[in-house]
Amino acid sequence: MDPLDQRIISHLVADARASYAEIGNKVGLSAPAVKRRVDKLLDNGTLQGFTAVVDPEALGWGTEAFVEVHCNGNVPVHRIRSGLEPLPEVVAAYTVSGQADAIVHMRAASIAHLEQALERLRSVDFVHHTVSTVVLSRLLERSPQTNK
Protein backbone atom coordinates (compact mmCIF):
# COMPACT_ATOMS: atom_id res chain seq x y z
CA MET A 1 0.00 0.00 0.00
CA ASP A 2 1.41 3.33 -1.03
CA PRO A 3 0.72 6.84 0.32
CA LEU A 4 -1.98 7.39 -2.33
CA ASP A 5 -3.85 4.29 -1.13
CA GLN A 6 -3.55 5.59 2.44
CA ARG A 7 -5.06 8.92 1.39
CA ILE A 8 -7.93 7.16 -0.40
CA ILE A 9 -8.60 5.07 2.71
CA SER A 10 -8.55 8.20 4.90
CA HIS A 11 -11.18 9.81 2.68
CA LEU A 12 -13.31 6.64 2.75
CA VAL A 13 -13.10 6.49 6.54
CA ALA A 14 -14.17 10.12 6.77
CA ASP A 15 -17.05 9.63 4.30
CA ALA A 16 -17.68 6.15 2.90
CA ARG A 17 -20.51 7.59 0.81
CA ALA A 18 -18.17 9.87 -1.16
CA SER A 19 -18.08 9.11 -4.88
CA TYR A 20 -14.92 7.94 -6.58
CA ALA A 21 -14.93 11.27 -8.46
CA GLU A 22 -15.03 13.24 -5.19
CA ILE A 23 -12.19 11.19 -3.73
CA GLY A 24 -10.28 11.47 -7.00
CA ASN A 25 -10.54 15.26 -6.90
CA LYS A 26 -9.03 15.25 -3.40
CA VAL A 27 -6.16 12.85 -4.17
CA GLY A 28 -5.43 13.85 -7.77
CA LEU A 29 -6.76 10.79 -9.62
CA SER A 30 -9.59 10.08 -12.01
CA ALA A 31 -12.70 8.29 -10.73
CA PRO A 32 -11.80 5.06 -12.62
CA ALA A 33 -8.29 5.11 -11.12
CA VAL A 34 -9.74 5.49 -7.60
CA LYS A 35 -12.18 2.63 -8.29
CA ARG A 36 -9.33 0.35 -9.47
CA ARG A 37 -7.36 1.12 -6.31
CA VAL A 38 -10.39 0.59 -4.04
CA ASP A 39 -11.15 -2.72 -5.80
CA LYS A 40 -7.53 -3.80 -5.24
CA LEU A 41 -7.72 -2.81 -1.56
CA LEU A 42 -10.94 -4.84 -1.22
CA ASP A 43 -9.43 -7.86 -3.04
CA ASN A 44 -6.31 -7.94 -0.84
CA GLY A 45 -8.33 -7.49 2.37
CA THR A 46 -6.99 -4.07 3.34
CA LEU A 47 -10.52 -2.70 2.98
CA GLN A 48 -12.96 -5.16 4.44
CA GLY A 49 -16.18 -3.48 3.39
CA PHE A 50 -18.34 -0.44 3.91
CA THR A 51 -20.80 -0.02 6.71
CA ALA A 52 -23.17 2.37 8.39
CA VAL A 53 -22.20 3.40 11.91
CA VAL A 54 -25.27 3.54 14.13
CA ASP A 55 -25.54 4.95 17.64
CA PRO A 56 -26.47 1.91 19.79
CA GLU A 57 -28.51 4.15 22.08
CA ALA A 58 -30.71 5.15 19.14
CA LEU A 59 -31.52 1.44 18.74
CA GLY A 60 -32.26 1.08 22.44
CA TRP A 61 -29.03 -0.75 23.33
CA GLY A 62 -27.33 1.97 25.40
CA THR A 63 -26.16 -0.21 28.30
CA GLU A 64 -22.73 -1.69 27.76
CA ALA A 65 -20.18 -3.70 29.69
CA PHE A 66 -16.80 -5.30 29.31
CA VAL A 67 -16.73 -8.80 30.72
CA GLU A 68 -13.72 -10.91 31.60
CA VAL A 69 -14.42 -14.54 30.76
CA HIS A 70 -12.53 -17.15 32.77
CA CYS A 71 -12.75 -20.66 31.31
CA ASN A 72 -12.65 -24.14 32.80
CA GLY A 73 -9.27 -25.48 31.73
CA ASN A 74 -7.62 -24.82 28.38
CA VAL A 75 -10.40 -24.00 25.89
CA PRO A 76 -9.45 -23.60 22.21
CA VAL A 77 -10.12 -20.19 20.66
CA HIS A 78 -12.56 -21.58 18.08
CA ARG A 79 -14.65 -23.10 20.88
CA ILE A 80 -14.77 -19.79 22.78
CA ARG A 81 -15.87 -18.05 19.58
CA SER A 82 -18.57 -20.63 18.86
CA GLY A 83 -19.85 -20.35 22.44
CA LEU A 84 -20.14 -16.55 22.20
CA GLU A 85 -21.57 -16.21 18.67
CA PRO A 86 -25.15 -17.18 19.60
CA LEU A 87 -25.36 -14.36 22.18
CA PRO A 88 -26.69 -11.29 20.33
CA GLU A 89 -25.55 -8.97 23.15
CA VAL A 90 -21.89 -9.84 22.43
CA VAL A 91 -20.70 -7.20 19.99
CA ALA A 92 -16.98 -8.04 20.17
CA ALA A 93 -14.74 -10.58 21.86
CA TYR A 94 -10.98 -10.85 22.23
CA THR A 95 -8.51 -13.37 23.61
CA VAL A 96 -6.18 -11.63 26.04
CA SER A 97 -3.11 -12.15 28.17
CA GLY A 98 -3.45 -12.12 31.93
CA GLN A 99 -5.83 -14.01 34.19
CA ALA A 100 -8.90 -13.86 31.93
CA ASP A 101 -9.12 -16.05 28.85
CA ALA A 102 -11.19 -13.53 26.92
CA ILE A 103 -12.69 -10.06 27.16
CA VAL A 104 -16.21 -9.64 25.83
CA HIS A 105 -17.87 -6.34 24.91
CA MET A 106 -21.62 -6.56 25.48
CA ARG A 107 -24.50 -4.19 24.75
CA ALA A 108 -28.02 -4.41 26.14
CA ALA A 109 -31.22 -2.38 26.40
CA SER A 110 -31.07 -2.06 30.20
CA ILE A 111 -29.31 -3.34 33.29
CA ALA A 112 -31.98 -6.05 33.59
CA HIS A 113 -31.34 -7.10 29.99
CA LEU A 114 -27.57 -7.09 30.63
CA GLU A 115 -28.09 -9.26 33.70
CA GLN A 116 -30.06 -11.80 31.65
CA ALA A 117 -27.37 -11.79 28.97
CA LEU A 118 -24.67 -12.33 31.60
CA GLU A 119 -26.62 -15.28 32.98
CA ARG A 120 -26.72 -16.81 29.49
CA LEU A 121 -23.00 -16.13 29.07
CA ARG A 122 -22.24 -17.80 32.41
CA SER A 123 -24.27 -20.85 31.36
CA VAL A 124 -21.96 -21.56 28.39
CA ASP A 125 -20.41 -24.92 29.26
CA PHE A 126 -16.75 -23.83 29.33
CA VAL A 127 -17.27 -20.61 31.36
CA HIS A 128 -16.00 -20.94 34.93
CA HIS A 129 -16.79 -17.36 35.99
CA THR A 130 -16.97 -13.80 34.72
CA VAL A 131 -15.96 -10.37 36.01
CA SER A 132 -18.07 -7.52 34.65
CA THR A 133 -17.42 -3.82 34.34
CA VAL A 134 -20.38 -1.66 33.31
CA VAL A 135 -19.55 1.37 31.16
CA LEU A 136 -20.75 4.67 32.61
CA SER A 137 -19.68 6.89 29.72
CA ARG A 138 -17.54 6.68 26.58
CA LEU A 139 -14.70 9.15 26.82
CA LEU A 140 -12.87 8.50 23.56
CA GLU A 141 -13.23 6.24 20.53
CA ARG A 142 -10.90 6.33 17.54
CA SER A 143 -10.78 4.56 14.24
CA PRO A 144 -7.32 3.25 13.24
CA GLN A 145 -6.92 6.05 10.67
CA THR A 146 -7.38 8.82 13.26
CA ASN A 147 -4.51 7.64 15.46
CA LYS A 148 -1.89 9.30 13.24
Side-chain angles (χ1 to χ4, degrees):
M1 180 169 52
D2 64 21
L4 201 49
D5 288 336
Q6 290 175 342
R7 289 179 57 210
I8 290 169
I9 289 170
S10 292
H11 288 291
L12 286 170
V13 168
D15 182 6
R17 295 177 56 182
S19 70
Y20 294 137
E22 291 170 328
I23 295 170
N25 285 336
K26 293 177 181 174
V27 301
L29 292 175
S30 68
V34 172
K35 182 185 182 320
R36 281 192 299 275
R37 284 178 172 262
V38 169
D39 288 345
K40 184 182 81 171
L41 292 166
L42 285 164
D43 288 344
N44 71 23
T46 300
L47 284 175
Q48 298 179 352
F50 303 88
T51 188
V53 179
V54 179
D55 180 2
E57 290 187 38
L59 299 176
W61 285 54
T63 302
E64 64 185 312
F66 289 90
V67 183
E68 293 181 9
V69 176
H70 299 260
C71 298
N72 293 315
N74 188 12
V75 180
V77 172
H78 73 275
R79 189 162 165 232
I80 295 172
R81 182 184 305 112
S82 66
L84 298 174
E85 282 177 334
L87 303 172
E89 296 85 0
V90 174
V91 296
Y94 313 91
T95 55
V96 294
S97 62
Q99 293 182 357
D101 295 290
I103 298 288
V104 176
H105 183 192
M106 299 181 81
R107 290 194 187 274
S110 64
I111 292 294
H113 179 194
L114 179 62
E115 185 175 23
Q116 293 166 357
L118 287 168
E119 288 173 8
R120 283 186 278 114
L121 173 61
R122 289 184 196 115
S123 72
V124 175
D125 66 340
F126 57 77
V127 175
H128 180 266
H129 72 280
T130 63
V131 178
S132 304
T133 303
V134 175
V135 174
L136 299 177
S137 63
R138 283 184 253 153
L139 299 176
L140 179 64
E141 286 184 292
R142 291 187 175 135
S143 66
Q145 287 71 30
T146 60
N147 289 341
K148 295 179 182 179

